[in-house]
Amino acid sequence: LRVIVDAYPNQDVYNIDKVGLFYKATPDIGLATIGQLGTKKQKERIITVHCSNVDGSHIIPLWIIRRAKNP
């Protein structure tokens, strides 16, 4: 793959990554010494997608995917 990519200039090579953001989740650690019993972890999340070319001259605006129809 590296041989194929090296044939193109850096402004034509893009990288895309997706990141899950659990925005309703509570922290795993805190100042309390005793954890709360009987609470569930929130699993609701949004997906953010980040994309730019290798040299950073073209950054695609952030994409946000809220919920899938069929998870």
Side-chain angles (χ1 to χ4, degrees), residues 14-37:
Y14 283 79
N15 183 30
I16 187 167
D17 290 315
K18 66 177 183 173
V19 177
L21 175 64
F22 293 88
Y23 63 95
K24 286 189 174 182
T26 56
D28 291 337
I29 58 173
L31 298 175
T33 57
I34 301 173
Q36 291 181 334
L37 298 174

Side-chain angles (χ1 to χ4, degrees), residues 1-52:
L1 184 63
R2 176 55 74 190
V3 174
I4 296 170
V5 172
D6 284 341
Y8 296 95
N10 283 340
Q11 65 263 18
D12 293 337
V13 179
Y14 283 79
N15 183 30
I16 187 167
D17 290 315
K18 66 177 183 173
V19 177
L21 175 64
F22 293 88
Y23 63 95
K24 286 189 174 182
T26 56
D28 291 337
I29 58 173
L31 298 175
T33 57
I34 301 173
Q36 291 181 334
L37 298 174
T39 59
K40 292 183 179 179
K41 290 190 180 242
Q42 290 288 336
K43 296 180 182 176
E44 193 169 339
R45 69 175 183 262
I46 58 175
I47 304 295
T48 61
V49 180
H50 310 267
C51 180
S52 70

